[in-house]
Amino acid sequence: MARAKYKKWLEPDNLKRISDWARNGVSEPHIATDKDKMDISYSTLKEWKNKYPAISAALKKNKDIVDAEVEESFTSTMKKHTLTTIQYKMVKKDKFVLQGERQKFMNMYKMDHPNASKQDILIATAENVDVYEQIPVVKTVTEVDPNISAMIFWLKNRRPDVYRDQTFKKLNEANARKAIAEANISEKQLKALEEADNPDNATVVVDDISKLKELRDKNADSSTKQGD
């Protein structure tokens, strides 16, 4: 029964599912045996990997590899590089090539569907073996200049001390000066409060002339006694 399932997992949508699972860090045994995933034995998956390159390639797309590919692609845009584009056209396959592909498919289909009738095999072969193929007709190589935006992004994040916007640098410097100034003000205020609490620095306010005269006489007597 597992053999009949391989074709399902060769479909583009299902290959993408396998690739997504691998990229998200799901292990191969889990991908194989989980009922919400491939729901096959791990030994079957290993057999399919050896037999079907598309499944093997999908499983190799793990997270680390994808991250590395993205980083490499991003880095390449910052350098001058060439871009190659190829135009194809559809042509009918060579008669003998087509015959060989059909025979190969029929043999595999018989193995996976031992009870299939001859008509079923012929229909399946017609549906799965293409009569036409793509052949390249025009190849174009274009030189691409470095991506300035990518270079700016890279430098700002790799060397923020040098390449970060000067606006942010000036703002940080202004905030630092403000913090120092506030600290100095707080220190002066504290010193003023300490001086105010010192009795020697007290100021006496007198609004009565007689009391002022009395206070002056007392001070004079004190000075005389000190002189004696």
Side-chain angles (χ1 to χ4, degrees):
M1 186 66 182
R3 286 193 175 194
K5 286 186 176 182
Y6 84 91
K7 188 175 176 182
K8 165 188 173 183
W9 292 104
L10 289 175
E11 295 173 359
D13 288 346
N14 286 326
L15 286 172
K16 185 178 184 304
R17 291 172 64 193
I18 295 174
S19 179
D20 290 343
W21 292 328
R23 185 169 59 249
N24 290 331
V26 183
S27 66
E28 289 187 8
H30 192 184
I31 290 173
T33 58
D34 193 318
K35 291 185 178 180
D36 294 327
K37 293 180 172 57
M38 296 184 77
D39 193 20
I40 57 175
S41 67
Y42 183 39
S43 60
T44 298
L45 178 59
K46 289 191 287 186
E47 181 183 343
W48 287 0
K49 280 176 60 180
N50 295 329
K51 203 170 183 181
Y52 308 109
I55 292 177
S56 178
L59 287 166
K60 288 179 180 177
K61 287 288 184 180
N62 62 52
K63 185 177 183 296
D64 292 338
I65 291 176
V66 173
D67 288 346
E69 288 177 348
V70 171
E71 184 175 348
E72 182 179 356
S73 177
F74 179 78
T75 305
S76 68
T77 64
M78 295 186 289
K79 304 174 183 177
K80 191 169 185 177
H81 57 284
T82 58
L83 181 64
T84 303
T85 56
I86 302 175
Q87 294 181 1
Y88 296 87
K89 74 173 183 178
M90 299 296 294
V91 298
K92 198 169 185 178
K93 290 180 181 177
D94 178 80
K95 177 181 178 181
F96 296 105
V97 172
L98 180 60
Q99 185 177 354
E101 290 180 357
R102 284 175 171 171
Q103 189 61 52
K104 182 179 179 180
F105 179 85
M106 285 190 288
N107 292 338
M108 292 183 64
Y109 192 85
K110 287 177 184 178
M111 291 177 60
D112 293 330
H113 305 82
N115 297 324
S117 65
K118 184 176 180 180
Q119 185 177 1
D120 291 336
I121 296 173
L122 291 174
I123 292 173
T125 303
E127 290 177 346
N128 290 275
V129 179
D130 294 327
V131 177
Y132 289 85
E133 64 179 344
Q134 287 184 335
I135 62 168
V137 290
V138 178
K139 181 179 179 180
T140 306
V141 179
T142 307
E143 284 194 351
V144 181
D145 290 329
N147 187 318
I148 302 300
S149 297
M151 294 171 67
I152 293 172
F153 178 84
W154 178 269
L155 290 172
K156 282 184 177 181
N157 284 276
R158 297 285 287 184
R159 293 293 307 277
D161 56 320
V162 178
Y163 296 102
R164 184 70 72 180
D165 289 344
Q166 292 301 310
T167 303
F168 291 104
K169 185 178 180 181
K170 290 178 180 178
L171 180 61
N172 290 334
E173 291 174 351
N175 286 334
R177 289 195 298 270
K178 181 181 178 182
I180 293 172
E182 289 176 348
N184 290 335
I185 291 172
S186 298
E187 186 177 348
K188 289 179 180 178
Q189 289 175 339
L190 179 61
K191 188 175 181 180
L193 289 173
E194 290 175 348
E195 290 178 352
D197 290 339
N198 189 344
D200 295 336
N201 296 326
T203 301
V204 179
V205 178
V206 179
D207 57 357
D208 190 328
I209 295 178
S210 60
K211 289 183 178 180
L212 178 61
K213 184 177 179 181
E214 182 181 348
L215 181 62
R216 186 182 59 189
D217 292 341
K218 285 183 179 180
N219 289 336
D221 291 341
S222 298
S223 299
T224 302
K225 289 179 180 180
Q226 288 177 359
D228 295 340

